[in-house]
Amino acid sequence: GLCVTRCPRQVVDHYENPRNVGSLDRNAKNVGTGLVGAPACGDVMKLQVEVDENGKIVDARFKTFGCGSAIASSSLATEWVKGKTVDEALKIKNTDIAKELCLPPVKLHCSMLAEDAIKAALADYKLKQDPGREESAKA
Amino acid sequence: AGVPQDPRVLDSMLPYLTAYYGNPHSRTHAYGWESEAAMEKARRQVADLIGADSREIIFTSGATESNNMAIKGVARFYKSRKKHIITTQTEHKCVLDSCRSLEGEGFQVTYLPVKRNGLIDLKELEAALQPDTSLVSVMTVNNEIGVKQPVHDIGEICRAHKVFFHTDAAQAIGKIPMDVNNMKIDLMSISGHKIYGPKGVGAIYVRRRPRVRLEPLQSGGGQERGLRSGTVPTPLAVGLGAACEVAQQEMEYDHKRISQLAERLVTKIMSEVPDVVMNGDREHRYPGCINLSFAYVEGESLLMALKDVALSSGSACTSASLEPSYVLRAIGTDEDLAHSSIRFGIGRFTTEEEVDYTVQKCIQHVKRLREMSPLWEMVQDGIDLKSIKWTQH
């Protein structure tokens, strides 16, 4: 494939040296928490974002129950959301994650779940800013 | 997981890969006679391991072929009067798939469930027998969880009802004593590479008294009593025979050593790490095949840490359907625990150092992965995971 020199190590690298493992205070108003997946499917991701008063994501953390590709996808997701605004982060696509990590077809669902996790975290954050508004976060 | 070839087996094969290349079925010259003699010696070695007559041993390409032969061959031979087969839900894929293909031919198959410990219920087996049952197929030792079925009792029941009993003994022979007469076994599948022999060869035992007939899968020159045409690969057959003979010599010593190593592995892991479940009956098992579930840690992610050890996972992140092992499902393992399972294989060449290394890495990475696990975090916070409404993609 195209990413032969870089890619084989990508997933392993994120696995051995994951970025941003941990938790933020889910009760803080400027923290959004997304929990997606199901233990019965072998994939659960928790992704959290901390957003400043300008709407920029200043910190992100993740925890994942899943295979190496799932761990790498969520680890990469936390790297990518940092420094973006909420609206910019909503544009992150699973296909970009899969491409960056050179995920094989059988692992594409891991990148999809990571995209879901980002969206769920941001939806949670938005809901906290304006609780009156109906959010169809889980559409 | 692969299994190394015993060096004694390789030694026995070398002459037949180099100088002695005659076709064992060529009756008319000395090269053929040498090969034939070697092949017949190998046949006797296989037979001796299981208490059979050498005329009852047919060489095949492996246990998959032997299973196909046993199931399809017997079913088709007796199909005019008998259309029913019984097997279990935890058999190897080649047995299950053979049965499925027979269903497509109009046969009826009963897939017996297993109890939580992985063993079949003998009363259920007896109740499932019908007047038109031609075959019962139950594996001796399960390749995923290591449980050992009560083949002696199954043989009794089948003999009493005059139904043929086939057992896939790929994981059992050479490791635990097997005797086709004591156990009233009528057909048995044997794998070469599972007993430190070469890959690409196996055997099927087919009882002569009372005679078991089967329709051959492979047509041709009529070798192996017409049951399996094709030139027998002399070097591979010699290797299988040698592997059987070596296994017979080493069985007691291996079993004792492997039991100790298995005990060491399980005790060390379970004493250091909480929330670990052993899958399958603790007592009725072969010690060298251990299946453990590490709650809140996904199996494949743990395997990545143990990649220099030969292990496999019951998780199915690589399978298109995301469904975990059917064997674990059959014993009633919760799906999330099924995704958290790892199979450890301990064999003749496993050293204590390798076990300790595996244990150490396993403990280290389970702890690390639990720190990374949202499930572990929730459980530590006192949340009941079963109360959560999980999303699905």
Side-chain angles (χ1 to χ4, degrees):
Chain A
L2 291 170
C3 337
V4 140
T5 48
R6 179 172 56 93
C7 275
R9 288 292 310 169
Q10 277 273 46
V11 169
V12 174
D13 181 39
H14 275 277
Y15 171 83
E16 289 176 353
N17 310 294
R19 307 22 168 175
N20 310 311
V21 174
S23 298
L24 300 168
D25 178 8
R26 68 184 305 133
N27 296 313
K29 191 178 176 197
N30 63 339
V31 169
T33 300
L35 182 67
V36 295
C41 296
D43 266 309
V44 177
M45 292 178 188
K46 185 188 80 162
L47 195 142
Q48 293 179 300
V49 292
E50 185 182 315
V51 186
D52 71 9
E53 59 278 1
N54 299 316
K56 198 163 98 159
I57 299 167
V58 292
D59 204 0
R61 293 274 187 274
F62 85 97
K63 285 205 175 189
T64 291
F65 165 83
C67 67
S69 296
I71 291 170
S73 298
S74 39
S75 167
L76 188 69
T78 59
E79 277 191 307
W80 277 2
V81 296
K82 278 193 192 175
K84 289 191 165 62
T85 65
V86 167
D87 289 330
E88 284 168 351
L90 280 169
K91 295 201 183 108
I92 294 172
K93 300 229 82 52
N94 66 292
T95 43
D96 300 325
I97 296 173
K99 192 169 160 197
E100 177 69 18
L101 297 171
C102 292
L103 296 182
V106 76
K107 296 290 190 182
L108 289 179
H109 65 274
C110 299
S111 64
M112 288 186 227
L113 200 64
E115 184 192 317
D116 287 351
I118 295 171
K119 291 190 157 60
L122 295 170
D124 181 59
Y125 165 78
K126 282 187 175 179
L127 195 60
K128 279 170 146 178
Q129 308 319 304
D130 190 353
R133 193 169 50 165
E134 274 302 310
E135 279 284 18
S136 54
K138 295 185 171 72
Chain B
V3 165
Q5 203 170 277
D6 192 300
R8 290 166 283 191
V9 167
L10 180 60
D11 283 350
S12 75
M13 290 168 67
L14 274 174
Y16 300 95
L17 289 163
T18 50
Y20 300 104
Y21 52 81
N23 185 321
H25 312 292
S26 295
R27 290 290 165 75
T28 55
H29 55 73
Y31 295 118
W33 302 334
E34 274 161 355
S35 294
E36 191 189 5
M39 179 180 75
E40 291 309 320
K41 178 181 170 187
R43 205 186 296 279
R44 264 193 316 278
Q45 288 166 321
V46 177
D48 283 349
L49 184 59
I50 60 173
D53 182 297
S54 64
R55 288 168 295 180
E56 296 172 309
I57 303 295
I58 307 290
F59 290 112
T60 66
S61 60
T64 294
E65 185 188 341
S66 304
N67 282 335
N68 268 263
M69 275 176 75
I71 292 162
K72 292 172 179 169
V74 169
R76 288 171 184 161
F77 189 91
Y78 295 96
K79 72 172 182 263
S80 57
R81 289 181 297 116
K82 307 211 171 178
K83 290 283 245 179
H84 178 237
I85 293 169
I86 300 173
T87 189
T88 79
Q89 291 177 8
T90 53
E91 297 299 307
H92 191 275
K93 269 283 167 73
C94 58
V95 168
L96 294 175
D97 235 46
S98 295
C99 290
R100 290 220 196 292
S101 95
L102 284 177
E103 283 182 296
E105 288 173 31
F107 289 88
Q108 186 211 344
V109 182
T110 299
Y111 300 90
L112 290 173
V114 294
K115 299 180 279 192
R116 284 213 74 121
N117 62 359
L119 301 177
I120 62 160
D121 183 323
L122 292 167
K123 290 195 185 59
E124 280 184 22
L125 167 62
E126 201 152 13
L129 288 166
Q130 291 168 189
D132 71 333
T133 306
S134 61
L135 185 73
V136 167
S137 179
V138 180
M139 70 198 316
T140 308
V141 171
N142 183 276
N143 55 303
E144 283 199 40
I145 58 179
V147 294
K148 198 166 66 173
Q149 298 293 346
V151 286
H152 198 276
D153 297 329
I154 297 169
E156 290 276 353
I157 292 170
C158 290
R159 191 57 66 81
H161 290 261
K162 294 191 165 41
V163 176
F164 292 132
F165 173 33
H166 163 252
T167 186
D168 173 3
Q171 295 283 348
I173 69 144
K175 296 179 173 150
I176 57 171
M178 299 284 296
D179 187 299
V180 293
N181 293 313
N182 282 352
M183 295 168 168
K184 300 187 170 60
I185 292 169
D186 300 306
L187 297 123
M188 184 195 284
S189 301
I190 292 156
S191 165
H193 73 108
K194 292 280 188 293
I195 51 166
Y196 314 99
K199 292 178 172 63
V201 69
I204 181 172
Y205 157 77
V206 183
R207 179 175 283 280
R208 289 179 82 234
R209 292 216 181 89
R211 193 163 174 210
V212 178
R213 305 294 303 276
L214 61 91
E215 204 181 272
L217 287 182
Q218 203 152 289
S219 313
Q223 290 88 352
E224 299 298 278
R225 304 179 182 280
L227 293 181
R228 203 280 185 179
S229 290
T231 302
V232 170
T234 312
L236 296 179
V238 165
L240 174 61
C244 288
E245 188 171 282
V246 168
Q248 197 162 19
Q249 291 161 2
E250 304 284 6
M251 202 188 304
E252 199 184 319
Y253 176 82
D254 277 354
H255 195 276
K256 190 159 160 231
R257 205 185 68 91
I258 287 168
S259 298
Q260 283 167 353
L261 289 176
E263 187 63 38
R264 188 182 178 89
L265 182 139
V266 173
T267 306
K268 280 192 166 204
I269 288 176
M270 287 193 162
S271 65
E272 272 281 330
V273 179
D275 301 305
V276 179
V277 174
M278 181 186 279
N279 296 305
D281 196 273
R282 272 268 186 163
E283 202 195 307
H284 298 103
R285 60 170 34 256
Y286 171 65
C289 176
I290 301 152
N291 194 300
L292 300 177
S293 286
F294 297 89
Y296 322 119
V297 171
E298 195 270 348
E300 217 195 280
S301 64
L302 183 53
L303 277 188
M304 273 185 97
L306 303 167
K307 55 185 179 292
D308 44 357
V309 181
L311 303 168
S312 67
S313 165
S315 184
C317 196
T318 46
S319 89
S321 69
L322 290 183
E323 284 202 19
S325 150
Y326 64 89
V327 172
L328 292 179
R329 195 179 340 122
I331 65 171
T333 304
D334 280 344
E335 279 187 295
D336 53 334
L337 270 186
H339 280 292
S340 305
S341 79
I342 301 274
R343 181 189 66 178
F344 299 85
I346 295 176
R348 182 182 296 161
F349 301 106
T350 308
T351 64
E352 196 175 273
E353 289 74 28
E354 282 169 339
V355 169
D356 288 347
Y357 174 81
T358 302
V359 165
Q360 181 237 321
K361 279 251 156 167
C362 188
I363 291 171
Q364 177 197 344
H365 285 276
V366 167
K367 289 182 173 171
R368 191 179 79 92
L369 287 163
R370 279 184 172 164
E371 287 303 305
M372 289 174 66
S373 168
L375 304 182
W376 177 251
E377 187 181 53
M378 289 161 92
V379 165
Q380 300 304 102
D381 289 341
I383 297 172
D384 174 12
L385 296 180
K386 294 207 194 302
S387 68
I388 306 283
K389 281 189 174 42
W390 301 99
T391 67
Q392 304 271 352
H393 183 89

